[in-house]
């Protein structure tokens, strides 16, 4: 694991957007298409705002989420909505969107179909992850009902329910996260930095983010 520290989060978001864009461009030099997985939540919006205006052959970039809250797109908790409003606009509107949500009451009803659409995108070329102060990443939460399977199984995608998550989730498995060709984790603030340091000494069962730290570049700014 490598940690890159920035003077402030504005600089971090700009720099990280540049890094992600150049990794995508490099990937497109040698591949027909690049797959790009991004988190939802509150942190990545400013990165999306930068990236959506970058000149690259977006029509060959396949964009997906690392995880989704099982809520309709009309909900302000929908990561799909965030993606469509902040990343898949301007130049990036040309990108191919690979969904992680479909209209159904429970994620299990759509798991098979969504996994099938994802399979041709693996391994993910460029991955950006977020982390919660409880040390979850994607929607692999401590204490989740399918934690062991998400950490150790062969699935691509899992439905998850966890005490720390207000709605059911769907998430890429730790295997898919680990198999990504390039992986970045973005965190802001002292609380998350302390959680990251704690996670380094805990097991993935206790701190799911620990499962993906080896080989990950962590980007951190205090505020
Ligand atoms: O849907 C989600 O919540 C995410 O994809 C999740 O894994 C997120 O990255 C972390 O919870 C951090 O969230 P914040 O950026 O809001 O702190």
């Amino acid at each position: 694991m490598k940690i890159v520290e920035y003077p402030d989060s504005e600089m971090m978001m700009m720099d990280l957007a540049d890094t992600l864009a150049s990794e995508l461009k490099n990937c497109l030099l040698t591949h027909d298409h690049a797959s790009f997985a991004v988190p939802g939540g509150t942190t990545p919006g400013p990165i999306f705002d930068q990236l959506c205006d970058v000149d690259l052959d977006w029509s060959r970039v396949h964009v997906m989420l690392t995880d989704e809250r099982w809520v309709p797109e009309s909900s302000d908790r929908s990561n799909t909505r965030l993606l469509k409003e902040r990343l898949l606009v301007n130049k990036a509107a040309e990108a191919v969107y690979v969904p992680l949500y479909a209209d159904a009451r429970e994620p299990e009803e759509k798991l098979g179909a969504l996994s099938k659409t994802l399979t041709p995108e693996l391994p993910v070329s460029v991955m950006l992850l977020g982390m919660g102060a409880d040390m979850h990443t994607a929607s692999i939460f401590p204490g989740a009902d399918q934690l062991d399977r998400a950490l150790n199984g062969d699935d691509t995608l899992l439905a998850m329910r966890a005490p720390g998550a207000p709605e059911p989730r769907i998430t890429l498995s730790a295997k898919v996260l680990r198999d990504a060709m390039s992986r970045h984790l973005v965190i802001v603030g002292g609380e998350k930095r302390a959680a990251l340091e704690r996670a380094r000494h805990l097991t993935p069962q206790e701190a799911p983010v620990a499962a993906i730290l080896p080989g990950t570049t962590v980007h951190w700014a205090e505020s």
Side-chain angles (χ1 to χ4, degrees):
M1 180 187 102
K2 177 180 158 198
I3 303 189
V4 187
E5 298 187 354
Y6 299 81
D8 59 63
S9 67
E10 199 180 327
M11 239 148 110
M12 175 169 77
M13 301 307 183
M14 283 170 60
D15 210 76
L16 185 48
D18 273 356
T19 302
L20 296 168
S22 55
E23 287 186 0
L24 289 169
K25 281 179 193 167
N26 280 341
C27 182
L28 291 176
L29 292 176
T30 49
H31 296 79
D32 280 351
H33 80 269
S35 47
F36 180 35
V38 296
T42 53
T43 307
I47 302 172
F48 297 165
D49 296 340
Q50 297 283 328
L51 267 178
C52 67
D53 284 320
V54 165
D55 268 319
L56 68 88
D57 189 353
W58 282 104
S59 64
R60 294 197 288 134
V61 178
H62 297 190
V63 177
M64 68 182 83
L65 286 161
T66 57
D67 61 308
E68 177 59 297
R69 297 112 182 241
W70 205 256
V71 293
E73 228 175 286
S74 55
S75 162
D76 58 12
R77 288 193 50 77
S78 165
N79 288 337
T80 304
R81 176 175 172 173
L82 170 78
L83 204 66
K84 289 188 176 174
E85 287 180 354
R86 306 268 298 263
L87 180 58
L88 300 172
V89 293
N90 302 350
K91 292 182 176 148
E94 293 293 307
V96 176
Y97 165 61
V98 182
L100 220 63
Y101 178 80
D103 206 12
R105 272 182 68 85
E106 302 296 338
E108 285 79 359
E109 294 170 45
K110 298 290 179 180
L111 205 54
L114 293 170
S115 301
K116 220 170 170 178
T117 330
L118 271 184
T119 304
E121 308 300 336
L122 304 180
V124 171
S125 321
V126 180
M127 178 174 287
L128 177 65
L129 286 163
M131 185 192 83
D134 63 355
M135 299 174 286
H136 79 267
T137 192
S139 279
I140 311 181
F141 282 83
D145 56 351
Q146 298 227 70
L147 180 59
D148 188 49
R149 192 164 162 183
L151 291 172
N152 303 312
D154 276 338
D155 308 83
T156 298
L157 208 55
L158 294 103
M160 282 286 217
R161 288 171 184 77
E167 62 283 292
R169 301 286 183 111
I170 194 162
T171 185
L172 298 178
S173 64
K175 179 181 186 314
V176 171
L177 304 186
R178 275 194 301 260
D179 285 350
M181 285 151 70
S182 149
R183 195 171 48 251
H184 300 269
L185 176 70
V186 59
I187 54 172
V188 178
E191 191 190 11
K192 285 195 183 182
R193 179 64 190 265
L196 177 78
E197 296 304 331
R198 261 198 329 277
R200 295 172 81 168
H201 307 288
L202 294 172
T203 64
Q205 284 285 340
E206 297 164 315
V209 73
I212 58 88
L213 290 180
T216 296
T217 304
V218 179
H219 303 261
W220 176 77
E222 172 82 60
S223 60

